[in-house]
Amino acid sequence: MSEFIPISEAKKMRSGVNVEAVVKSKGEPRTVNLKSGGTVDVCDAVISNGETEDDQMKLTLWADDIKAVNVGDTVVITNGYTNEFKGEVSLTKGKFGKMDVNPQ
């Protein structure tokens, strides 16, 4: 079992991010064009595993993951990665990561 880290630490990392957090909010899905051609739906959610703003970050959900995640759910991201866009760090599970919703 991987060691989970605070989101405040995850924001400083690039890859191999393991976090367990609660979904605080979820935006509307939007359709984006893929570099490889075609389109995919993407949606931003805000996750938190603490009390301060440092303990929150954006989670980018792609395709089928959008329907799987709802506000109030606990998500566990294993081997995720972060990227920064317009000064905001966001987390995604990526191709090699895994996301569990409300694990028992």
Side-chain angles (χ1 to χ4, degrees):
M1 186 80 186
S2 312
E3 190 68 28
F4 295 119
I5 58 169
I7 286 177
S8 54
E9 289 297 308
K11 287 180 180 178
K12 301 173 193 159
M13 296 174 64
R14 278 280 165 251
S15 60
V17 177
N18 300 319
V19 295
E20 180 174 13
V22 175
V23 179
K24 294 296 186 185
S25 65
K26 181 177 160 185
E28 288 298 312
R30 62 193 185 279
T31 303
V32 296
N33 295 318
L34 296 171
K35 290 176 189 168
S36 58
T39 61
V40 67
D41 287 337
V42 65
C43 175
D44 294 324
V46 174
I47 56 172
S48 174
N49 63 6
E51 298 302 314
T52 69
E53 206 168 294
D54 277 349
D55 301 314
Q56 294 186 6
M57 84 187 306
K58 187 157 62 171
L59 172 66
T60 304
L61 302 168
W62 296 87
D64 292 342
D65 288 342
I66 296 170
K67 291 185 186 82
V69 174
N70 294 296
V71 173
D73 286 347
T74 297
V75 292
V76 175
I77 306 285
T78 311
N79 197 29
Y81 73 93
T82 64
N83 50 30
E84 194 171 326
F85 182 69
K86 294 184 179 173
E88 186 175 22
V89 177
S90 64
L91 175 67
T92 187
K93 75 172 186 183
K95 196 180 286 185
F96 304 107
K98 184 174 169 232
M99 180 176 74
D100 290 315
V101 180
N102 295 323
Q104 297 303 317

